[in-house]
């Protein structure tokens, strides 16, 4: 990682406890139906949960605090595409290590880029894949989620944070601004004043502050974070996959359209559920006082 990023992280490094790393994930080559036959340099991928219906992706670039290099992001897109097409997977958990979810984009890769290279090559454009996956994604954030790491977490649908997590957009300290949605998603999540303060000063906020501001939904002890995220993903995956995708689309519309247009989208998607077998099964099961058995994928 570049010297500037190391200098940025050094003051707070002592504040993070020495914690045991999470259990290693299995090599994705042995994971049936989820990127089968593929191996990754920067990711660990598996299916987990009692029903093996949760896709689990762990960023695995520890020597650089999971800095988001182009190779890592390409692998992440590949893993997400595999999970998107896997009918067994109903929800996805994205996590890092206990020290860092992701400390930011890779500064060494960006250092010598020109305006022409960024513009003509649509630099960071491929990152949007995370935000357009139809299946719900939960970010389980421990440690640093800075710059691109914070942006990556915000592309997910739900953010769970470990109690030692730190969120920030420190790009201004490097002479630039967020480029993967940081100014947009952060403002929508925490409001103009706090977003402006974080973007203009580069200051970080704690997990507790992020929870209070509405950036994350829940905070857990470091060692319990991943289990909590997987449990939430299992609960989501137990519902209709098709209807979950429609619900996700409807909620996202609240951030991307006007209230009037958002309500139109909600009504259209609500009506669409009446064309599904799962809507019929869910309501029938309720009337018959039994657990629904959803089948739509």
């Amino acid at each position: 990682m570049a010297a500037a990023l190391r200098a940025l992280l050094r003051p707070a490094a002592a504040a993070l406890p020495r914690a045991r790393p999470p259990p290693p994930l299995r090599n994705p080559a042995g994971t049936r139906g989820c990127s089968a036959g593929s191996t990754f340099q920067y990711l660990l991928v598996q299916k987990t949960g009692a029903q093996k219906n949760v896709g689990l992706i762990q960023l695995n670039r520890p020597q650089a605090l999971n800095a988001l290099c182009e190779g890592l992001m390409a692998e992440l897109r590949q893993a997400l595409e595999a999970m998107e097409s896997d009918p067994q997977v109903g929800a996805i958990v994205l996590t890092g290590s206990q020290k860092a979810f992701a400390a930011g984009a890779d500064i060494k890769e960006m250092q010598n880029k020109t305006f022409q290279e960024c513009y003509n090559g649509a630099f960071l454009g491929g990152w949007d894949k995370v935000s357009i996956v139809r299946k719900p994604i939960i970010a389980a954030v421990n440690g640093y989620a800075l710059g691109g790491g914070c942006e990556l977490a915000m592309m997910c649908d739900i953010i769970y944070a470990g109690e030692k997590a730190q969120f920030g957009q420190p790009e201004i300290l490097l002479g630039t601004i967020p480029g993967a949605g940081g100014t947009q998603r952060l403002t929508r999540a925490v409001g103009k004043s706090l977003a402006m303060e974080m973007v203009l000063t580069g200051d970080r906020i704690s997990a507790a502050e992020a929870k209070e501001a509405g950036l994350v939904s829940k905070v857990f002890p470091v060692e319990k974070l991943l289990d909590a995220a997987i449990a939430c993903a299992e609960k989501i995956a137990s519902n209709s996959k098709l209807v979950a995708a429609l619900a996700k689309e409807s909620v996202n519309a609240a951030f991307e359209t006007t209230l009037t247009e958002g309500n139109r989208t909600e009504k259209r998607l609500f009506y669409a559920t009446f064309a599904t077998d799962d809507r019929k099964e869910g309501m029938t099961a309720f009337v018959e006082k039994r657990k629904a058995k959803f089948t739509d994928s």
Side-chain angles (χ1 to χ4, degrees), residues 20-26 44 46 56 58 60 95-98 222-223 226-227 230:
R20 290 181 302 162
L25 303 185
R26 295 177 306 200
L44 296 172
Q46 70 177 59
L56 178 58
Q58 181 180 3
N60 186 39
T95 192
S97 67
Q98 290 190 1
V222 171
E223 66 277 5
L226 187 56
D227 286 342
I230 292 172

Side-chain angles (χ1 to χ4, degrees), residues 74-174:
E75 289 185 359
L76 181 57
R77 289 192 293 273
Q78 180 185 350
L80 288 172
E81 287 169 0
M83 290 181 178
E84 183 88 289
S85 62
D86 189 333
Q88 187 178 9
V89 173
I92 300 165
V93 173
L94 178 62
T95 192
S97 67
Q98 290 190 1
K99 189 173 184 180
F101 176 73
D106 193 306
I107 305 303
K108 287 183 178 180
E109 286 189 346
M110 294 192 291
Q111 183 179 4
N112 297 316
K113 283 188 179 292
T114 65
F115 164 76
Q116 290 86 347
E117 289 173 331
C118 291
Y119 187 83
N120 291 333
F123 182 47
L124 303 184
W127 288 33
D128 289 342
K129 174 63 181 179
V130 181
S131 64
I132 62 174
V133 172
R134 289 186 174 183
K135 294 179 179 179
I137 305 178
I138 302 171
V141 178
N142 267 321
Y144 301 115
L146 306 177
C150 187
E151 290 171 312
L152 180 61
M154 291 189 294
M155 291 180 197
C156 299
D157 304 301
I158 298 170
I159 303 178
Y160 278 7
E163 57 191 0
K164 300 298 182 182
Q166 297 183 27
F167 298 84
Q169 298 289 164
E171 289 86 351
I172 199 163
L173 303 178
L174 302 177

Side-chain angles (χ1 to χ4, degrees), residues 146-279:
L146 306 177
C150 187
E151 290 171 312
L152 180 61
M154 291 189 294
M155 291 180 197
C156 299
D157 304 301
I158 298 170
I159 303 178
Y160 278 7
E163 57 191 0
K164 300 298 182 182
Q166 297 183 27
F167 298 84
Q169 298 289 164
E171 289 86 351
I172 199 163
L173 303 178
L174 302 177
T176 186
I177 68 171
T183 61
Q184 305 303 300
R185 291 188 175 92
L186 186 63
T187 304
R188 286 166 170 77
V190 306
K192 177 182 177 181
S193 182
L194 180 55
M196 195 72 80
E197 180 182 8
M198 292 173 66
V199 170
L200 294 181
T201 66
D203 288 348
R204 312 168 196 170
I205 60 174
S206 67
E209 290 169 325
K211 170 70 166 61
E212 183 179 2
L215 181 60
V216 307
S217 57
K218 292 181 181 178
V219 177
F220 298 90
V222 171
E223 66 277 5
K224 295 183 179 180
L225 171 66
L226 187 56
D227 286 342
I230 292 172
C232 179
E234 286 188 279
K235 186 179 294 186
I236 292 170
S238 70
N239 296 318
S240 166
K241 297 178 181 64
L242 176 59
V243 175
L246 297 176
K248 173 175 174 173
E249 180 180 348
S250 188
V251 172
N252 281 334
F255 292 90
E256 298 165 358
T257 62
T258 64
L259 176 60
T260 299
E261 185 59 35
N263 278 330
R264 288 197 192 103
T265 298
E266 181 186 78
K267 285 290 191 298
R268 173 176 57 83
L269 295 173
F270 168 68
Y271 297 154
T273 67
F274 282 76
T276 70
D277 291 335
D278 279 348
R279 192 282 314 167

